[in-house]
Amino acid sequence: MFFPRRCPVCDGILPVGKGKICGGCYNKLNFIAEPRCKKCGKQIDSKEEEYCRDCRTKKHYYDRGISLIENKGEGKSSVYAIKYRNKREYAEFYADEIKIRYEYEISLWGANLMIPVPLHKKKLRKRGYNQAKVIADDLGEKLLIPVKEKALSRIKNTIPLKTLHGEERKKCLKDAFVADTALVKGKVVVLVDDIYTTGSTIDECSKELISKGASKVYFITISIGEGM
């Protein structure tokens, strides 16, 4: 009554017990559909192609990934609201949709650890929360995968990556993360973040996790966009 649920797209108040999104707004989201890239999960145009343009030309350290929507239009604005406008409650809707659409596929990964992509402590203090952890907590609860925030830390305070292109992001993120060997060794890890663009962040995290003994690394994000 005092804190009514709001639509994650238009932010309008939703009637009690009437779902987690407006009916009309649901159709404004560009959900990823087949055919999908067999590496990053991005939607591709041709069934004859197995991989997207980015994954055909880049080496990735993770095994495979899943994203729910394309990072454009109302969906992009909604994810940015989670990240920058403290609309953390929106994450529950997206976690529900990921479970509905991909629970079986994720179960085949055999994951036994979920890790949110970490923020540097300075950025965390400024923002007040890590949007990746908010998403991971919802997903971990729904998919029954334990979440360990401290299994991966960000030790390098990088500039905002949205201002950088692919190679610049890669250089900026070099040695930015450190994993806890005791927590990740032998684990099948699922990394969780809000947005996948070039894959540089997920790759750098995956590289570090594998170097500390993780057996496999997958990822889940809400949205995915074109790499630069």
Side-chain angles (χ1 to χ4, degrees):
M1 183 180 297
F2 296 106
F3 301 99
R5 181 176 293 278
R6 291 181 174 272
C7 172
V9 174
C10 72
D11 200 46
I13 294 175
L14 296 168
V16 177
K18 297 296 183 180
K20 297 175 183 177
I21 189 172
C22 298
C25 287
Y26 186 88
N27 296 324
K28 294 178 182 178
L29 297 173
N30 298 286
F31 290 99
I32 300 296
E34 296 289 353
R36 292 182 286 139
C37 174
K38 291 187 176 181
K39 194 71 175 177
C40 73
K42 190 179 300 173
Q43 189 168 318
I44 52 181
D45 296 327
S46 173
K47 293 182 180 179
E48 281 67 47
E49 297 286 349
E50 292 188 337
Y51 302 100
C52 69
R53 180 184 58 194
D54 289 339
C55 292
R56 289 197 301 268
T57 58
K58 295 178 183 176
K59 175 186 176 182
H60 293 300
Y61 291 91
Y62 60 82
D63 286 82
R64 196 165 184 176
I66 283 174
S67 297
L68 182 67
I69 61 174
E70 293 181 303
N71 189 45
K72 61 184 182 181
E74 283 83 357
K76 181 176 181 178
S77 298
S78 178
V79 175
Y80 271 49
I82 297 173
K83 187 170 187 171
Y84 296 117
R85 292 172 39 219
N86 200 20
K87 295 293 185 177
R88 287 179 265 184
E89 67 271 23
Y90 293 175
E92 188 178 356
F93 161 74
Y94 291 111
D96 280 346
E97 284 298 310
I98 289 169
K99 179 181 179 181
I100 291 168
R101 293 166 182 265
Y102 296 114
E103 183 176 20
Y104 176 70
E105 184 173 340
I106 294 168
S107 73
L108 297 179
W109 296 349
N112 47 24
L113 180 62
M114 183 173 283
I115 304 174
V117 171
L119 290 177
H120 188 270
K121 59 184 179 182
K122 289 184 178 179
K123 191 170 290 183
L124 182 60
R125 281 198 299 268
K126 183 178 180 180
R127 187 174 297 169
Y129 64 99
N130 178 4
Q131 73 282 354
K133 183 180 184 300
V134 173
I135 300 163
D137 285 343
D138 279 331
L139 277 174
E141 181 179 354
K142 295 177 190 303
L143 298 173
L144 304 179
I145 302 174
V147 178
K148 298 289 184 182
E149 180 185 14
K150 294 183 179 180
L152 187 66
S153 301
R154 193 172 196 139
I155 59 173
K156 185 177 177 182
N157 190 20
T158 59
I159 63 174
L161 298 180
K162 63 183 179 181
T163 65
L164 304 177
H165 292 277
E167 283 303 313
E168 294 172 325
R169 291 185 182 206
K170 188 175 179 180
K171 291 177 182 178
C172 185
L173 287 165
K174 183 175 173 58
D175 301 323
F177 302 95
V178 61
D180 186 327
T181 304
L183 293 177
V184 306
K185 188 174 182 180
K187 299 292 187 180
V188 178
V189 176
V190 178
L191 284 166
V192 176
D193 208 358
D194 51 351
I195 305 167
Y196 179 107
T197 49
T198 66
S200 298
T201 301
I202 296 293
D203 269 325
E204 195 62 31
C205 290
S206 300
K207 182 180 178 181
E208 169 63 13
L209 288 165
I210 291 168
S211 75
K212 296 297 177 63
S215 60
K216 288 187 177 182
V217 180
Y218 299 89
F219 79 81
I220 300 173
T221 64
I222 294 177
S223 67
I224 189 165
E226 292 296 327
M228 294 185 295

